[in-house]
Amino acid sequence: MIIGFLGTGAISEAIIRGLCDKANYSDRILISQRSPERSTKLALDYDQIEVVNENALLVEKSDWVIVAVLPDQVEAALGKLTFRSDQKVISLAAGISLARLSEWVFPCTKVSRAIPMPPIEFGMGPVALCPQDPSIEALFGQIGTAVSVSDEEQFNLFGAASALMADYFDQVATVSSWMESHAMEPDTAVRYTTSLYHALASLTLGQTPDALKSMSDECLTPGGLNEQFLRTRMASGSCDSLKTGLDDILARLESSTGSTS
Ligand SMILES: NC(=O)c1ccc[n+]([C@@H]2O[C@H](COP(=O)([O-])OP(=O)(O)OC[C@H]3O[C@@H](n4cnc5c(N)ncnc54)[C@H](OP(=O)(O)O)[C@@H]3O)[C@@H](O)[C@H]2O)c1
């Protein structure tokens, strides 16, 4: 099978490096002759990669086309191209609905959306998919946790949650900087903080819905430090702001994809 990446940006590179380095993926991969430094380097690093200088040729030669241009570039990029009914198109573009994509790539009808996250480069993290497609799940499942839904409105919930990255990193960095502000040596602060966040995140993996909900309670020794900290944060509105922030992103995604819920 030949996969073509229309757009050779940051997330295309992460997927390609994940596939080649972490999944020993050995089929041919075509990439656009864009972001020249990145596309040249990828072709140098992996024998199976071919840089294609025209989008039309890339689409013609590919079995699956991964659309990895920015959302406001999708219509212009796809509008000029001719797809076939035997191909699959997987769009990574945030906020571009399956209905709009399907118009632009007709007569191809096997159209999907995916949200890979940057850690996919290291074979980690969720890859949200819509609709369910076992062969696409199998590809992304080699380099992440493929999570599919058939309802595009539900897919938007994954889109909203994918906006948590900057906040998460900011929280880790803030804890570390706070230690530094109390005269701790920076490397020591980073070592402690990153290990703490990494370990706690690992404990949540694979939990059932009920077990996940009780993890916080289990840390709440009455009168203890965790209880005090959670109470302080709740009183300052930070827990509510997490939900409000997610609601705001969801509303934005729904308005761009034309969802109604
Ligand atoms: N980054 C993430 O973590 C992430 C995660 C999930 C989904 N996404 C989605 O993935 C898409 C790409 O994101 P990104 O972060 O990889 O963006 P990016 O780094 O800005 O890459 C965009 C790529 O598209 C190329 N491009 C622009 N117009 C083109 C055209 N007409 N034909 C072919 N290539 C074209 C650009 O080439 P030039 O540099 O030469 O202009 C660049 O290689 C976005 O729609 C985004 O919503 C990103």
Side-chain angles (χ1 to χ4, degrees):
M1 181 175 75
I2 300 178
I3 300 180
F5 285 79
L6 194 68
T8 318
I11 200 67
S12 291
E13 175 169 7
I15 296 169
I16 291 167
R17 290 198 182 280
L19 284 171
C20 299
D21 292 341
K22 298 293 169 190
N24 294 322
Y25 184 83
S26 56
D27 285 5
R28 267 174 83 204
I29 293 174
L30 311 182
I31 57 176
S32 308
Q33 194 175 45
R34 298 289 296 238
S35 308
E37 215 172 291
R38 178 177 272 130
S39 45
T40 306
K41 177 86 170 68
L42 282 167
L44 280 174
D45 287 351
Y46 305 106
D47 288 344
Q48 73 220 75
I49 290 190
E50 181 188 337
V51 181
V52 181
N53 62 7
E54 277 179 38
N55 287 346
L57 191 58
L58 181 137
V59 170
E60 188 189 316
K61 291 166 92 174
S62 300
D63 300 303
W64 290 12
V65 178
I66 299 195
V67 180
V69 299
L70 296 174
D72 61 3
Q73 299 167 332
V74 176
E75 184 170 11
L78 295 183
K80 300 178 197 134
L81 300 172
T82 304
F83 289 83
R84 301 185 305 273
S85 58
D86 64 315
Q87 292 173 309
K88 284 190 184 186
V89 171
I90 303 156
S91 168
L92 313 184
I96 308 284
S97 69
L98 288 171
R100 292 174 77 198
L101 292 161
S102 299
E103 274 175 35
W104 298 329
V105 303
F106 185 81
C108 173
T109 53
K110 293 172 211 126
V111 182
S112 295
R113 295 177 62 193
I115 312 172
M117 304 297 288
I120 200 168
E121 176 173 354
F122 307 103
M124 286 192 289
V127 185
L129 299 168
C130 181
Q132 289 169 331
D133 179 321
S135 56
I136 298 176
E137 275 176 25
L139 180 83
F140 285 107
Q142 295 175 58
I143 44 173
T145 305
V147 185
S148 300
V149 288
S150 43
D151 177 346
E152 203 170 7
E153 291 183 8
Q154 297 222 325
F155 181 75
N156 282 334
L157 301 176
F158 296 140
S162 75
L164 291 172
M165 269 192 310
D167 183 67
Y168 179 84
F169 292 140
D170 182 64
Q171 193 176 136
V172 182
T174 300
V175 173
S176 182
S177 302
W178 171 82
M179 290 179 179
E180 278 182 52
S181 75
H182 287 272
M184 181 170 276
E185 204 270 316
D187 286 346
T188 307
V190 165
R191 204 156 157 252
Y192 181 88
T193 310
T194 55
S195 174
L196 176 68
Y197 273 82
H198 181 250
L200 295 180
S202 302
L203 286 185
T204 65
L205 267 184
Q207 297 287 350
T208 63
D210 284 343
L212 186 63
K213 280 177 201 143
S214 67
M215 284 181 82
S216 172
D217 289 346
E218 281 166 17
C219 299
L220 296 180
T221 308
L225 305 182
N226 276 269
E227 188 197 56
Q228 179 183 335
F229 185 75
L230 185 63
R231 206 172 336 107
T232 304
R233 293 266 287 166
M234 278 178 154
S236 71
S238 71
C239 297
D240 288 340
S241 75
L242 179 62
K243 291 183 199 157
T244 311
L246 288 168
D247 281 341
D248 287 350
I249 303 288
L250 182 61
R252 177 173 161 190
L253 289 171
E254 286 176 345
S255 69
S256 62
T257 52
S259 299
T260 50
S261 75

